[in-house]
């Protein structure tokens, strides 16, 4: 702790302890007259609080193991067989936790911060083994996943890694951005590769490179725009809610979003909402978590302006009740984690693709509380998805990888925070709501709060946007 007056030292101690206890309070809420003995009282209350939450884990796990699910599929098929196999493994893990407990106190496995940081750092600094050749179209993605994973764990990025990011991305940037950004050397520009590559540059704060290419990227993105308001992934390629989200996010971060780019996009996205309530990639196909996240997050970049509140605007274009019903159905009773679509298996990457939709709904609908079971998701991630050698995985039995490490950690962060919009003056730009995210820590943890619209630690997108707003003044 830094030096200061007795009052400010006490305030710092209490802020620190409250952080450990789970809910961060603003300094103004704290009593500056607290003495050292009050400080000790708070420390022993912390022990009690841990016991309390250990009891809660016990009660929750007992219910997860015994209560039947809301809907059970009794039709036997390979789908139900796979589901039973996953349930058996997870039942084993949760039963062991209960059996090892004393006096009904169950502690989740702690988040293994040190080994996960080591995993991320090692993957960023070692040459890949030959089997990674299959990832050759994913250079930008791998950099985004790993650097984001590291920064979400509140770790700084080494200068050598920042340089690596810039060098690699420049090698896949085509004609200074006029041809977009490809997945690997010699490959054509692709909206998803551009998205991941730009996020990687934003994470290492290489705003100079971004400034140099951003107006060229705008031209390339406009060339992908279709008459119906959606965007192609690449010239002649498929268009879906993913490409739309990728392009809107990049335009917003680089302060190049305009009416022309946004034209008809909100109404096209709405045609992707299915009878189930979730969104498919293109109209009339199956609702899926990945596509649904992309559609809903896109609205935060599109609906900043207009009549009425943001909530009214969103509720006017889509069926929010049906969306909430479908999204809530993705959390499985026994596992605690999410599936990506009806009748499919739990997978930790949906802790972000589905988990990220909840804060968006919590903010936009002003729910003032949780729309899903944060403790159950946390229990799934901590006990079922950590690899002891570092990294996080889809489910028990799977190997950790960069993609799951990143999205599962983002999901863990979501489970440990609650979200609302910041107090606001009247928003004036389409994407203003994407930057009004406020969070409060509600569970103990090591991960930074995130901005769920961008899938970045809170503050990262905000800093980038500010940089380009200033540059454009
Ligand atoms: C199904 O996989 C997966 C999809 C149909 C696409 C998922 C889309 C995303 C994850 C969003 C991507 C976002 C960006 C920004 C590019 P599966 O059939 O293997 O898995 P499942 O059984 O869980 O559905
Ligand atoms: Zn997955």
């Amino acid at each position: 702790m830094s030096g200061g007056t007795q009052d400010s030292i006490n305030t710092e101690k209490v802020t620190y302890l409250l952080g450990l206890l789970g809910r961060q309070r603003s300094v103004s809420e704290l009593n500056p007259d607290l003495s050292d003995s009050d400080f000790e009282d708070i420390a022993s209350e912390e022990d009690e609080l841990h016991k309390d939450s250990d009891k809660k884990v016990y009660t929750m796990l007992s219910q997860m193991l015994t209560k039947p699910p809301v809907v059970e599929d009794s039709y036997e098929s390979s789908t139900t067989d796979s589901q039973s196999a996953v349930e058996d493994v997870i039942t084993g893990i949760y039963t062991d936790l209960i059996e090892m407990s004393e006096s009904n106190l169950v502690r989740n496995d702690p988040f293994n911060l040190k080994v996960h940081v080591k995993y991320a750092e090692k993957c960023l600094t070692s040459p890949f083994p030959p089997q990674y050749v299959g990832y050759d179209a994913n250079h930008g993605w791998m950099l985004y996943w790993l650097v984001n994973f590291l920064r979400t764990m509140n770790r700084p990025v080494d200068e050598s890694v920042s340089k690596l990011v810039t060098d690699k991305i420049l090698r896949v940037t085509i004609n200074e951005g006029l041809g977009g950004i490809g997945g690997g050397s010699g490959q054509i520009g692709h909206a998803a590769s551009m998205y991941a590559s730009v996020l990687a540059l934003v994470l290492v704060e290489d705003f100079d490179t971004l400034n140099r290419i951003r107006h060229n990227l705008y031209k390339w993105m406009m060339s992908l725009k279709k008459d119906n308001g959606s965007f192609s992934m690449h010239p002649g390629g498929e268009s879906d809610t993913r490409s739309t989200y990728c392009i809107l996010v990049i335009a917003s971060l680089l302060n190049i979003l305009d009416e022309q780019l946004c034209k008809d996009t909100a109404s096209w996205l709405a045609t992707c909402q299915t009878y189930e309530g979730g969104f498919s990639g293109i109209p009339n196909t199956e609702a899926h978590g990945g596509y649904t996240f992309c559609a809903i997050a896109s609205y935060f970049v599109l609906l900043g302006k207009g009549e009425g509140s943001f909530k009214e605007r969103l509720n006017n274009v889509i069926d929010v009740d049906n969306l909430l019903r479908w999204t809530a159905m993705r959390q499985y009773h026994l596992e605690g984690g999410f599936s990506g679509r009806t009748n499919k298996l739990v997978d930790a990457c949906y802790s972000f693709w589905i988990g990220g939709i909840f804060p968006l709904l919590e903010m936009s609908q002003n729910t003032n509380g949780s729309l899903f079971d944060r403790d159950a998701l946390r229990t799934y991630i901590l006990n079922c998805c950590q690899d002891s050698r570092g990294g996080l995985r889809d489910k028990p039995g799977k190997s950790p990888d960069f993609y799951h490490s990143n999205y599962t950690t983002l999901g863990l962060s979501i489970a440990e925070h609650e979200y609302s919009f910041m107090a606001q003056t009247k928003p004036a730009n389409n994407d203003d709501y994407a930057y009004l995210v406020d969070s409060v820590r509600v569970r103990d943890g090591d991960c930074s709060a995130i901005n769920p619209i961008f899938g970045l630690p809170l503050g990262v997108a905000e800093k980038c946007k500010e940089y380009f707003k200033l540059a454009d003044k």
Side-chain angles (χ1 to χ4, degrees):
M1 283 177 198
S2 56
T5 63
Q6 191 56 42
D7 279 357
S8 72
I9 291 170
N10 280 335
T11 304
E12 273 186 64
K13 283 176 180 174
V14 177
T15 309
Y16 173 74
L17 271 177
L18 281 168
L20 289 179
L21 290 173
R23 185 178 279 270
Q24 276 173 355
R25 296 275 161 76
S26 67
V27 174
S28 61
E29 280 180 84
L30 302 170
N31 178 358
D33 299 328
L34 286 170
S35 68
D36 267 8
S37 59
D38 294 322
F39 176 77
E40 278 150 23
D41 287 350
I42 292 172
S44 70
E45 271 169 31
E46 188 205 348
D47 276 353
E48 279 310 305
L49 239 142
H50 263 311
K51 268 193 207 139
D52 234 31
S53 73
D54 296 348
K55 237 183 236 160
K56 268 195 219 144
V57 177
Y58 175 85
T59 313
M60 181 181 65
L61 280 180
S62 312
Q63 284 178 359
M64 285 158 86
L65 288 169
T66 50
K67 264 200 181 171
V70 184
V71 185
E72 202 152 19
D73 188 354
S74 54
Y75 180 83
E76 272 193 42
S77 65
S78 59
T79 306
T80 46
D81 287 348
S82 317
Q83 177 61 26
S84 304
V86 173
E87 285 177 6
D88 288 348
V89 174
I90 291 175
T91 299
I93 294 173
Y94 292 165
T95 308
D96 284 352
L97 273 176
I98 288 195
E99 282 176 0
M100 284 182 322
S101 71
E102 278 170 29
S103 334
N104 296 350
L105 301 180
V106 177
R107 221 162 241 207
N108 285 318
D109 279 354
F111 183 70
N112 210 342
L113 185 71
K114 268 196 190 147
V115 294
H116 296 319
V117 167
K118 225 172 165 187
Y119 170 86
E121 285 174 346
K122 185 167 178 222
C123 295
L124 277 165
T125 50
S126 321
F128 290 145
Q131 59 270 31
Y132 273 73
V133 68
Y135 279 76
D136 190 45
N138 285 315
H139 286 249
W141 278 110
M142 290 192 284
L143 292 169
Y144 159 66
W145 292 327
L146 288 170
V147 176
N148 202 45
F149 178 37
L150 206 54
R151 288 211 54 188
T152 305
M153 293 187 290
N154 284 310
R155 285 298 176 276
V157 184
D158 250 38
E159 219 171 283
S160 60
V161 170
S162 300
K163 190 174 169 327
L164 174 90
V165 169
T166 299
D167 290 350
K168 286 256 175 208
I169 304 297
L170 284 178
R171 255 184 273 164
V172 291
T173 302
I174 298 146
N175 201 6
E176 281 289 283
L178 280 171
I181 301 180
S185 271
Q187 296 169 19
I188 62 163
H190 191 281
S193 307
M194 172 196 63
Y195 159 85
S197 303
V198 169
L199 289 195
L201 290 169
V202 170
L203 280 159
V204 301
E205 299 183 3
D206 185 355
F207 300 138
D208 286 343
T209 300
L210 289 169
N211 199 22
R212 223 180 53 228
I213 62 175
R214 69 183 171 132
H215 294 293
N216 288 343
L217 287 179
Y218 174 84
K219 286 184 195 148
W220 183 70
M221 293 193 289
M222 269 311 291
S223 76
L224 298 176
K225 175 116 190 152
K226 298 182 65 158
D227 289 345
N228 64 9
S230 69
F231 295 88
S232 301
M233 271 294 189
H234 56 83
E238 77 278 23
S239 71
D240 56 35
T241 65
R242 291 170 313 156
S243 50
T244 301
Y245 168 74
C246 290
I247 282 174
L248 293 175
V249 158
I250 296 316
S252 172
L253 286 168
L254 305 184
N255 206 36
I256 47 177
L257 188 80
D258 62 12
E259 297 298 331
Q260 220 188 346
L261 199 76
C262 297
K263 189 170 178 298
D264 296 330
T265 305
S267 54
W268 179 79
L269 283 170
T271 63
C272 297
Q273 186 168 26
T274 80
Y275 69 94
E276 285 193 285
F279 285 64
S280 48
I282 53 171
N284 306 314
T285 52
E286 187 184 5
H288 191 282
Y291 297 122
T292 305
F293 171 83
C294 289
I296 304 307
S298 294
Y299 285 123
F300 284 70
V301 182
L302 286 170
L303 297 181
K305 278 199 308 201
E307 291 305 306
S309 63
F310 180 79
K311 177 179 176 176
E312 284 162 350
R313 255 170 272 152
L314 184 65
N315 293 29
N316 276 342
V317 275
I318 63 167
D319 181 346
V320 172
D321 288 347
N322 206 19
L323 167 68
L324 178 55
R325 190 200 64 84
W326 176 85
T327 312
M329 292 291 281
R330 304 278 56 76
Q331 187 161 30
Y332 286 176
H333 187 81
L334 169 75
E335 300 90 318
F338 300 125
S339 69
R341 47 182 163 149
T342 305
N343 275 340
K344 299 294 303 248
L345 306 177
V346 67
D347 174 344
C349 64
Y350 299 124
S351 307
F352 178 72
W353 299 119
I354 291 292
I357 300 169
F358 287 109
L360 301 184
L361 290 173
E362 287 165 2
M363 291 192 289
S364 64
Q365 309 299 304
N366 322 316
T367 55
N368 232 332
S370 224
L371 286 175
F372 73 106
D373 190 334
R374 283 178 150 78
D375 289 318
L377 176 64
R378 202 158 161 266
T379 285
Y380 176 66
I381 293 174
L382 292 174
N383 301 303
C384 303
C385 303
Q386 299 193 78
D387 191 288
S388 55
R389 296 158 299 172
L392 293 103
R393 61 191 181 201
D394 158 350
K395 58 173 70 61
K398 300 270 183 174
S399 297
D401 59 61
F402 310 161
Y403 167 90
H404 286 92
S405 295
N406 176 49
Y407 291 114
T408 307
T409 307
L410 291 177
L412 180 63
S413 167
I414 290 168
E416 293 173 350
H417 295 85
E418 278 177 9
Y419 290 85
S420 59
F421 279 141
M422 256 173 221
Q424 46 190 284
T425 50
K426 199 168 168 41
N429 299 304
N430 281 337
D431 57 352
D432 278 349
Y433 279 91
Y435 299 93
L436 284 172
V437 175
D438 202 3
S439 74
V440 58
R441 179 172 280 288
V442 292
R443 302 286 181 280
D444 210 359
D446 296 303
C447 301
S448 125
I450 64 157
N451 180 325
I453 293 133
F454 298 101
L456 293 169
L458 200 54
V460 172
E462 292 78 358
K463 184 169 181 181
C464 175
K465 179 73 170 183
E466 275 313 305
Y467 179 93
F468 288 112
K469 265 186 174 171
L470 210 69
D472 289 336
K473 261 200 178 146

